[in-house]
């Protein structure tokens, strides 16, 4: 029997390569790109239609994409809503259609019919005055119901402050805008935005590629492109110094906190993988610095987490999020900033680095077992200008991240000196404490905003 010295850490083996399959690619003359990824383990098929459209200001028509999201998928000009939904249920399919694409999952034997239904409903939507008025009423009711909802206010103001209303991501919906929308607005917007010029259709699962190509040509070849120059996007900027942005909500029973900054990072950049690991350590997992501090050590919250997003078209973002009681709002903010400083100034331990990698890699491997994930990855490679082996080498890239990499990207993308610390809370309980927050021997300035991001 071989003796094992358990005091010696085993040498890690070579990182496994995830083989997601190389898509078969077929392009239609109208611009639609078809990607087919075969997988015959189960008799099912995933269908993902994704439109790679640059975001565009809706201005006085803001809310129209939200309205279309509620109206889309209700049959077509040739099949009424009830018959359409009844057939989808009969085929045991999952189907959703939105202004920026569609998704379906179905048994292999029903794939041809479901593909035909998607094409019909997406290309010839059944938009009616009756449905529009019903959905407009729902949106207006939601706006009214959420007037004092701290989470909704935070989401709206965060986007407005981060990007400004001059950017599509900073626009917000008003009751008056929704009420003024017409059926012509709906059909014109859909015709303009739902186009094949930069569209990708990914079919994954138990299919015959030749049959898929034939069916896609049959159902999507007549989809007409639409060409119009898209205005250049407004370029948002970070604040010149870290500041508190406070929104007073007298009815709030706790404080919503988000600490955020914009980031210049694309998925194709070498810093992407180190930032995944750094974010996991700072606030991406349950055992992260921020969650262990605020939840476990101080008992300020049930959870505190951080995330970052990249964006093909504009600047991405980094955010730290939590909810805390009024009495501990100011102390919680200070502790968050301490943990950001910690990851920037103190090299992480080998154990923490290994834990972060293991946690993230486990999630990645599990995700690759879902057909929808494979579709997303195939689209990402095309639209994000990623190397063809980006996901095949994902694990190796994660494992290659060093402690020094973590510290470097933490300083590059967690902008401790350029944070917006946004708080939605009860001013009579917390405003004075917020005005007097000090960090690193310096008082953090505070600005007050209304529920729509307008400075008071």
């Amino acid at each position: 029997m071989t003796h094992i010295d358990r005091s010696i850490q085993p040498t890690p083996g070579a990182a496994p390569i995830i083989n997601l399959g190389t898509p078969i690619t077929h392009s239609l003359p109208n611009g639609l790109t078809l990607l087919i990824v075969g997988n015959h383990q189960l008799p099912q098929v995933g269908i993902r239609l994704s439109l790679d459209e640059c975001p565009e200001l809706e201005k006085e028509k803001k809310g129209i994409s939200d309205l279309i999201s509620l109206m889309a998928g209700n049959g077509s000009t040739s099949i009424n809503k009830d018959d359409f939904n009844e057939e989808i249920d009969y085929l045991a399919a999952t189907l959703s259609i939105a202004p920026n694409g569609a998704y379906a999952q179905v048994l292999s034997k029903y794939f041809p019919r479901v593909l035909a239904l998607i094409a019909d409903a997406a290309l010839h939507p059944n938009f009616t005055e009756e449905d529009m008025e019903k959905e407009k009423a729902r949106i207006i009711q939601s706006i009214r119901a959420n007037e004092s909802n701290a989470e909704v206010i935070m989401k709206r103001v965060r986007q407005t402050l981060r990007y400004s209303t001059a950017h599509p991501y900073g626009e917000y919906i008003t009751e008056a805008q929704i009420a003024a929308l017409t059926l012509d607005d709906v059909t014109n917007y859909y015709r303009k935005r739902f186009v094949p010029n930069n569209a990708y259709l990914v079919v994954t699962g138990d299919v015959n590629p030749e049959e898929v190509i034939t069916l896609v040509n049959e159902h999507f070849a007549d989809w007409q492109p639409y060409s119009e120059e898209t205005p250049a996007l407004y370029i948002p900027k970070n604040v010149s110094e870290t500041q508190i942005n406070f929104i007073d909500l007298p009815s709030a029973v706790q404080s919503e906190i988000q600490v955020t900054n914009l980031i210049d990072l694309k998925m194709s950049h070498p810093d992407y993988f180190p930032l995944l690991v750094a974010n996991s350590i700072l606030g991406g997992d349950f055992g992260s610095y921020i969650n262990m501090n605020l939840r476990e050590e101080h008992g300020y919250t049930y959870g505190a987490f951080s995330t970052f997003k990249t964006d093909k078209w504009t600047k991405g973002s980094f955010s730290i999020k939590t909810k805390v009681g009024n009495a501990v709002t100011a102390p919680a903010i200070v502790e968050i900033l301490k943990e950001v400083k910690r990851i920037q100034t103190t090299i992480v331990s080998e154990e923490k680095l290994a834990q972060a990698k293991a946690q993230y890699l486990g999630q990645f491997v599990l995700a690759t077992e879902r057909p929808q994930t494979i579709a997303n990855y195939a689209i990402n490679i095309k639209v994000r200008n990623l190397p063809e082996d980006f996901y095949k080498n994902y694990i190796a890239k994660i494992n290659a991240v060093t402690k020094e990499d973590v510290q470097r990207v933490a300083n590059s993308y967690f902008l401790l000196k350029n944070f917006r610390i946004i708080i939605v809370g009860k001013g009579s309980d917390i405003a004075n404490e917020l005005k007097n927050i000090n960090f690193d021997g310096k008082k953090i300035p505070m600005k007050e905003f209304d529920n729509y991001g307008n400075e008071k």
Side-chain angles (χ1 to χ4, degrees), residues 45-279:
V45 182
I47 307 165
R48 172 75 185 274
L49 177 63
S50 179
L51 275 62
D52 184 31
E53 296 287 338
C54 178
E56 187 175 64
L57 282 168
E58 295 180 8
K59 299 181 181 179
E60 70 278 0
K61 305 295 184 184
K62 179 61 183 173
I64 194 163
S65 58
D66 300 77
L67 180 58
I68 292 174
S69 294
L70 297 173
M71 296 174 66
N74 287 332
S76 70
T77 52
S78 60
I79 307 176
N80 67 48
K81 177 172 59 177
D82 292 338
D83 289 344
F84 182 88
N85 291 334
E86 184 178 336
E87 184 167 6
I88 290 296
D89 289 342
Y90 175 77
L91 298 174
T94 300
L95 172 63
S96 62
I97 298 176
N100 62 346
Y103 177 77
Q105 191 161 355
V106 66
L107 292 173
S108 306
K109 61 182 178 179
Y110 298 135
F111 162 70
R113 180 55 183 161
V114 170
L115 182 68
L117 289 170
I118 287 179
D120 193 23
L123 275 55
H124 312 105
N126 183 32
F127 294 147
T128 67
E129 194 83 34
E130 180 184 359
D131 280 346
M132 183 189 69
E133 292 303 327
K134 182 182 71 175
E135 301 303 349
K136 283 169 64 173
R138 285 178 59 185
I139 295 175
I140 290 172
Q141 179 59 36
S142 177
I143 292 173
R144 292 173 179 173
N146 288 316
E147 284 181 351
S148 297
N149 185 308
E151 289 186 20
V152 172
I153 294 170
M154 170 61 81
K155 182 178 179 180
R156 177 174 61 230
V157 173
R158 178 201 66 201
Q159 291 298 97
T160 298
L161 293 180
R162 200 155 61 184
Y163 287 98
S164 96
T165 54
H167 192 286
Y169 294 168
E171 289 185 296
Y172 54 81
I173 305 170
T174 67
E175 184 177 329
Q177 288 170 324
I178 290 295
L181 293 174
T182 68
L183 193 59
D184 282 343
D185 292 330
V186 170
T187 55
N188 290 337
Y189 182 88
Y190 193 84
R191 179 178 61 86
K192 175 184 173 183
R193 299 289 293 177
F194 201 95
V195 292
N197 310 36
N198 298 298
Y200 296 84
L201 179 63
V202 182
V203 177
T204 59
D206 184 27
V207 292
N208 179 308
E210 292 182 359
E211 180 188 22
V212 173
I213 292 171
T214 299
L215 290 170
V216 169
N217 276 287
E218 176 184 343
H219 297 302
F220 289 92
D222 291 336
W223 189 8
Q224 295 299 309
Y226 182 96
S227 297
E228 183 178 88
E229 186 175 348
T230 304
L233 288 176
Y234 170 79
I235 303 175
K237 297 180 181 179
N238 284 307
V239 289
S240 58
E241 64 174 343
T242 290
Q243 59 182 244
I244 292 170
N245 296 163
F246 176 58
I247 298 90
D248 183 15
L249 184 62
S251 61
V253 296
Q254 61 183 354
S255 297
E256 294 272 344
I257 301 174
Q258 291 206 18
V259 179
T260 184
N261 62 259
L262 298 165
I263 61 173
D264 279 314
L265 181 70
K266 307 302 179 187
M267 285 185 70
S268 56
H269 194 282
D271 282 349
Y272 179 74
F273 290 99
L275 191 57
L276 285 175
V277 177
N279 179 70

Side-chain angles (χ1 to χ4, degrees), residues 267-268 312 379-388 390:
M267 285 185 70
S268 56
K312 171 183 177 177
I379 292 172
N380 276 348
I381 287 173
K382 294 293 183 181
V383 304
R384 300 267 188 148
N385 297 317
L386 303 176
E388 291 295 330
F390 183 85

Side-chain angles (χ1 to χ4, degrees), residues 190-417:
Y190 193 84
R191 179 178 61 86
K192 175 184 173 183
R193 299 289 293 177
F194 201 95
V195 292
N197 310 36
N198 298 298
Y200 296 84
L201 179 63
V202 182
V203 177
T204 59
D206 184 27
V207 292
N208 179 308
E210 292 182 359
E211 180 188 22
V212 173
I213 292 171
T214 299
L215 290 170
V216 169
N217 276 287
E218 176 184 343
H219 297 302
F220 289 92
D222 291 336
W223 189 8
Q224 295 299 309
Y226 182 96
S227 297
E228 183 178 88
E229 186 175 348
T230 304
L233 288 176
Y234 170 79
I235 303 175
K237 297 180 181 179
N238 284 307
V239 289
S240 58
E241 64 174 343
T242 290
Q243 59 182 244
I244 292 170
N245 296 163
F246 176 58
I247 298 90
D248 183 15
L249 184 62
S251 61
V253 296
Q254 61 183 354
S255 297
E256 294 272 344
I257 301 174
Q258 291 206 18
V259 179
T260 184
N261 62 259
L262 298 165
I263 61 173
D264 279 314
L265 181 70
K266 307 302 179 187
M267 285 185 70
S268 56
H269 194 282
D271 282 349
Y272 179 74
F273 290 99
L275 191 57
L276 285 175
V277 177
N279 179 70
S280 179
I281 293 169
L282 177 65
D285 294 319
F286 184 85
S288 66
Y289 285 180
I290 290 173
N291 197 52
M292 288 296 99
N293 181 321
L294 270 64
R295 176 188 165 105
E296 299 301 308
E297 182 180 346
H298 288 97
Y300 288 162
T301 181
Y302 288 112
F305 302 95
S306 67
T307 59
F308 77 92
K309 294 181 179 179
T310 62
D311 194 288
K312 171 183 177 177
W313 303 105
T314 187
K315 291 184 179 179
S317 61
F318 165 73
S319 294
I320 300 168
K321 308 175 185 180
T322 192
K323 302 176 185 180
V324 301
N326 296 342
V328 297
T329 302
I333 291 169
V334 172
E335 293 304 319
I336 288 171
L337 298 180
K338 284 181 180 177
E339 295 301 341
V340 176
K341 184 178 180 181
R342 174 187 175 191
I343 198 171
Q344 291 181 339
T345 58
T346 304
I347 292 289
V348 301
S349 67
E350 289 285 359
E351 181 183 10
K352 198 68 176 175
L353 182 66
Q355 288 174 351
K357 290 180 180 181
Q359 178 80 10
Y360 204 92
L361 294 176
Q363 294 171 357
F364 173 74
V365 172
L366 286 175
T368 60
E369 298 176 0
R370 297 191 293 268
Q372 189 171 1
T373 300
I374 296 173
N376 291 339
Y377 289 173
I379 292 172
N380 276 348
I381 287 173
K382 294 293 183 181
V383 304
R384 300 267 188 148
N385 297 317
L386 303 176
E388 291 295 330
D389 61 357
F390 183 85
Y391 290 104
K392 291 180 181 178
N393 293 327
Y394 206 91
I395 292 178
K397 293 287 188 181
I398 290 288
N399 280 334
V401 174
T402 67
K403 294 180 291 184
E404 291 74 21
D405 288 333
V406 169
Q407 185 177 43
R408 176 179 56 77
V409 297
N411 279 277
S412 297
Y413 300 100
F414 308 154
L415 304 185
L416 188 56
K417 295 182 179 179

